[in-house]
Amino acid sequence: MTYPPQPDPYGAQSGPYPGGWQQGYQYPQQGSDAFWRQVAGNQQPPPPPPPKNRTGLVVGLVIGAVVLLLGSAVAITLAVAASNRIEAGDCMALNDERGGRMASADCGSPDSDYEVVDVREGRDLAGCGDDYVNFADDSTYCIVLDVRVGDCLTPFQQDEGVLPLKLECSKAEDQVTRVVGGQDPESACDENEGYYVFSRKTVCFGDVRGV
């Protein structure tokens, strides 16, 4: 009695298993083209490369733009600073009664101490005549008090190297009583008042009142 052929437990009906052995099959010699074709056929295709991250590029572009903007801001600041020169007709605030460092100020404002009437190169003390002198940035500034009646000043000093400056009246002793153009101080100011005389301006002052 013969038995019918038993089915292949792996489901193969004919031929060898893919990549498997069959009777009489000669395995390709290692290193040959056939060998590499068989190896390649049994391998899974490599996964696709991950997408490139553009964050670094974006960050770089943003940082570059910020640097560019900062560079422009610095250039603008330098340009403004370079053009912030005080000229004749401008007013200024002095930081010290001995002169020197000064800053631009609005004429007639509480911050403004002096009006510049002339600017000369180098040190030219004689060129300012009866006006006060301030030396700064290798230039000579001829200056006159920028005051009006009611403004208060630092105390009068006999030392000609000490310049009067505006001061809050609550802290001052001297107050401007009159400002006239180029008049004799003895006729312009009262007998008991002091005065500052400039080439084109006379400033009379007395004791502080009404504070």
Side-chain angles (χ1 to χ4, degrees):
M1 182 175 180
T2 60
Y3 294 93
Q6 299 295 315
D8 191 321
Y10 296 100
Q13 299 298 324
S14 62
Y17 306 127
W21 290 93
Q22 62 176 327
Q23 189 173 4
Y25 176 76
Q26 297 294 322
Y27 196 87
Q29 183 179 359
Q30 186 171 356
S32 66
D33 290 343
F35 171 81
W36 290 117
R37 281 196 298 271
Q38 178 167 323
V39 171
N42 289 332
Q43 290 182 343
Q44 296 294 328
K52 291 184 178 180
N53 191 347
R54 295 178 56 85
T55 303
L57 176 61
V58 173
V59 170
L61 292 175
V62 171
I63 292 178
V66 171
V67 171
L68 180 61
L69 290 175
L70 287 177
S72 301
V74 170
I76 292 172
T77 301
L78 291 177
V80 171
S83 65
N84 193 27
R85 178 180 172 85
I86 298 176
E87 305 285 357
D90 295 339
C91 291
M92 66 180 193
L94 275 177
N95 290 347
D96 191 87
E97 292 178 328
R98 294 286 178 178
R101 186 178 178 186
M102 57 187 180
S104 180
D106 293 333
C107 294
S109 69
D111 294 330
S112 173
D113 295 304
Y114 285 89
E115 178 187 356
V116 178
V117 294
D118 194 10
V119 180
R120 299 173 176 267
E121 293 184 1
R123 288 182 173 260
D124 186 6
L125 178 61
C128 290
D130 291 332
D131 298 331
Y132 282 146
V133 179
N134 186 46
F135 299 113
D137 303 327
D138 296 325
S139 296
T140 299
Y141 294 83
C142 305
I143 57 178
V144 298
L145 275 169
D146 178 32
V147 292
R148 64 185 69 177
V149 173
D151 288 341
C152 293
L153 301 171
T154 52
F156 174 81
Q157 301 286 334
Q158 294 290 344
D159 185 354
E160 294 182 356
V162 177
L163 304 179
L165 304 178
K166 283 183 181 176
L167 186 66
E168 291 183 17
C169 290
S170 60
K171 303 176 182 178
E173 298 177 2
D174 298 337
Q175 188 173 29
V176 176
T177 58
R178 192 175 184 189
V179 179
V180 294
Q183 295 185 18
D184 177 18
E186 292 186 1
S187 60
C189 305
D190 291 342
E191 184 177 350
N192 60 344
E193 291 182 335
Y195 48 81
Y196 295 102
V197 179
F198 304 96
S199 57
R200 289 171 289 181
K201 180 186 292 188
T202 299
V203 176
C204 307
F205 65 87
D207 293 337
V208 175
R209 299 178 180 179
V211 178

